[in-house]
Amino acid sequence: MEKAEIGLVGLGTMGSNLALNIAEKGHRIAVWNRTGARTSEFVAQAGPLADRIVPCATLEELMAAIEPPRPVILMVPAGRPVDEQLAVLGPLAGKGDILIDAGNANFHDTQRRTREAEGADYAFVGMGVSGGEEGARHGPSIMVGGDPASWHRIEKVILDIAAKYEGEPCAAWLGPDGAGHFVKTIHNGIEYADMQMIAETYGIMRDGLGMGAHEIGKVFEGWNRGRLNSYLIEITARVLATDDPQTGTPVVDLILDKAGQKGTGRWSAIEAQMLGVPATAIEAAVAARSLSAMKEEREAAARIYAPPAPQAVATAAADIVAELELALLAGKIAAYAQGFAVMQAASVEHGWNLPMATIARIWRAGCIIRSQFLGSIAAAFEAGGEIANLMVAPAFVEMMNQAHPALRISVGRAALWGLPVPALSSALAYFDGYRQARGTANLIQGQRDFFGAHGFERIDRSGPQHGPWA
Ligand code: NDP
């Protein structure tokens, strides 16, 4: 039988769609799933694509079905399942074979697995895939980390299956070992911040302006035709416009306000902290999901604390909504600036040499945060020169100058109305902190020296100093 070009382990939501995408692009693929019945069911449902799919009952059969050197994609839950599969596949792999973890791995695990592979015959590749089920089937954004030789071996298949933005594939090799998974993690961190800030503007419209789901949906639909145009704004409008068929109520009004999280947002916040890079909007978004999960405690606290007394509003609702659009733009600039700053710091720390413009370019289609806005980020990095922070790149200075006054007003209004806007307000505080030439850390340094003799620098003299504390 004709050998397959590539193998795939794990025919769940992502794996099955990725396998169909690979077959559809003309590549013969061998597949294996832990629960064998799923493999036959998958092939039975693959229609004409089944001709290019080789179902395998065992991992030995899978390896034998692929043309060496054999690339095998693992699409199983992150963590132990990946190690379990590597423990079985590793000994079956020969020289030049490539085992590719395409799940949402923690990049530290990817670095460890890369080191472990150095003592074995196979090469290990950590590949971040974004775009959910639909992306996996029709074109995800793909962030690859590993050795360049492995990348060249799999490049054709990966570029073929990736989303295309104006014909350009949204997939790239980003650096060695954990580079791909790290970038995917930060993608998700930015996604958390983006979603949270969208939810905060929804909250102001719902609870501050008393607007209904459909009315708010129309606002997002309008925003999607402007500078906020993005997949997340588009789906927000669609979610808000959808009614529950049984009750006729907007579905969003029936959904429990407890958000789930699987770890990538939290990892982004942890890595930002470890690198000493402020990523306050991402951190606030992670914390907001945690707070959302404390439903019973929130209900109890709501019985203790009444909301602030209603304020007289002089501004027309339409103007408040227009301000929110700009506020969201300003918050978004700050949040993306934070995500890219974390990646820049990690790139130096791990010696990855991450290509920032390429990252922005491969996020323009296929992934969850896809938007026009990423084209502006790519252009800012492509313009050359050292960009200390996206907020000071010329194109963003102009946007920020137009938008930050509205962010300030919206955050202030939300505070007076007693509506939580943690991501928007921390984005504003980050912006104000970043643009403040003389901050207040002089006092922190004084306090630290007072209680711990930690020393400080003076503005009028060089060298370490201590204060004349009594
Ligand atoms: P699913 O739960 O849909 O599928 C999991 C697959 O892994 C199944 O085929 C399952 O096999 C298999 N599996 C589970 N545990 C083991 C194990 N211990 N050994 C071998 N196989 C195992 O997950 P998804 O497809 O959603 O996710 C896969 C990966 O992709 C995860 O890392 C996820 O974070 C990531 N991801 C998911 C996205 C999404 O939108 N869903 C988006 C981007 C990345 P069985 O049929 O036997 O249970």
Side-chain angles (χ1 to χ4, degrees):
M1 203 208 295
E2 191 190 339
K3 294 262 189 190
E5 280 174 66
I6 193 162
L8 184 138
V9 166
L11 292 168
T13 308
M14 292 298 283
S16 58
N17 283 292
L18 214 55
L20 292 174
N21 187 356
I22 291 171
E24 191 176 62
K25 300 302 174 319
H27 303 284
R28 201 168 163 75
I29 179 167
V31 298
W32 176 87
N33 193 63
R34 179 181 61 175
T35 308
R38 172 76 194 121
T39 311
S40 1
E41 189 187 285
F42 168 71
V43 177
Q45 291 167 351
L49 293 177
D51 291 348
R52 293 197 203 109
I53 298 170
V54 185
C56 302
T58 63
L59 285 170
E60 286 79 1
E61 219 180 275
L62 177 95
M63 294 308 275
I66 311 166
E67 182 71 36
R70 300 167 291 192
V72 178
I73 296 175
L74 303 183
M75 219 9 156
V76 298
R80 192 184 296 177
V82 176
D83 286 318
E84 284 170 7
Q85 289 310 303
L86 287 175
V88 185
L89 278 167
L92 300 175
K95 201 122 206 94
D97 289 345
I98 307 164
L99 303 183
I100 307 156
D101 175 17
N104 273 338
N106 185 313
F107 87 102
H108 292 293
D109 285 338
T110 306
Q111 290 186 314
R112 169 181 57 79
R113 289 169 186 145
T114 304
R115 282 194 302 274
E116 286 166 4
E118 279 159 12
D121 275 342
Y122 66 91
F124 183 74
V125 166
M127 184 169 96
V129 177
S130 176
E133 188 173 3
E134 186 68 15
R137 177 65 185 87
H138 298 293
S141 172
I142 306 177
M143 296 143 260
V144 182
D147 65 284
S150 299
W151 164 241
H152 292 313
R153 168 81 182 94
I154 60 173
E155 186 175 1
K156 169 120 184 52
V157 177
I158 301 302
L159 296 183
D160 281 353
I161 63 167
K164 307 291 178 302
Y165 183 88
E166 294 176 355
E168 205 185 310
C170 289
W173 176 78
L174 300 175
D177 57 79
H181 275 141
F182 186 86
V183 171
K184 171 70 205 300
T185 297
I186 300 303
H187 164 283
N188 286 22
I190 293 173
E191 176 187 309
Y192 270 56
D194 219 338
M195 292 170 70
Q196 175 62 26
M197 291 190 292
I198 291 171
E200 290 172 13
T201 59
Y202 155 74
I204 293 174
M205 287 187 264
R206 185 190 67 182
D207 302 327
L209 299 176
M211 292 166 64
H214 290 181
E215 203 185 346
I216 304 173
K218 288 266 178 268
V219 170
F220 282 106
E221 215 181 286
W223 290 0
N224 198 39
R225 290 190 289 271
R227 279 189 290 186
L228 289 173
N229 171 271
S230 61
Y231 173 71
L232 280 173
I233 295 284
E234 180 196 327
I235 64 159
T236 301
R238 288 173 61 181
V239 167
L240 287 160
T242 306
D243 288 332
D244 171 49
Q246 267 96 53
T247 59
T249 310
V251 182
V252 74
D253 291 340
L254 299 171
I255 300 178
L256 187 67
D257 54 331
K258 280 169 89 166
Q261 49 180 323
K262 285 193 174 163
T264 45
R266 188 179 297 141
W267 296 342
S268 297
I270 291 170
E271 292 310 323
Q273 291 280 358
M274 296 304 286
L275 291 161
V277 178
T280 52
I282 296 171
E283 290 164 10
V286 175
R289 287 205 193 182
S290 303
L291 190 58
S292 82
M294 299 158 70
K295 177 75 172 168
E296 291 74 22
E297 279 183 62
R298 289 190 288 114
E299 283 174 335
R303 288 190 287 273
I304 298 170
Y305 292 106
Q311 308 273 320
V313 184
T315 316
D319 294 335
I320 293 177
V321 169
E323 276 164 4
L324 283 177
E325 182 181 10
L326 280 173
L328 193 49
L329 179 66
K332 187 166 167 148
I333 294 170
Y336 280 65
Q338 292 177 354
F340 276 84
V342 174
M343 289 192 290
Q344 277 178 313
S347 181
V348 173
E349 174 76 16
H350 299 285
W352 286 331
N353 202 15
L354 292 176
M356 295 298 153
T358 302
I359 293 168
R361 278 207 312 273
I362 65 171
W363 286 353
R364 286 175 305 173
C367 66
I368 303 299
I369 63 169
R370 61 186 182 258
S371 68
Q372 283 182 357
F373 182 77
L374 281 154
S376 309
I377 296 181
F381 282 111
E382 269 154 7
E386 190 79 351
I387 297 181
N389 185 293
L390 265 184
M391 293 190 302
V392 294
F396 289 93
V397 171
E398 201 180 312
M399 270 192 256
M400 204 58 172
N401 274 332
Q402 285 170 20
H404 79 80
L407 176 60
R408 207 170 292 291
I409 292 167
S410 302
V411 166
R413 189 178 284 123
L416 289 174
W417 286 354
L419 300 175
V421 286
L424 287 171
S425 57
S426 47
L428 174 63
Y430 171 71
F431 170 66
D432 280 339
Y434 192 76
R435 53 149 210 93
Q436 190 179 40
R438 174 133 174 100
T440 53
N442 49 326
L443 179 60
I444 305 287
Q445 286 297 80
Q447 292 163 332
R448 292 180 70 239
D449 190 55
F450 188 102
F451 66 67
H454 293 297
F456 52 79
E457 291 174 277
R458 283 177 66 125
I459 56 173
D460 57 350
R461 219 178 274 169
S462 60
Q465 309 286 332
H466 286 287
W469 322 118

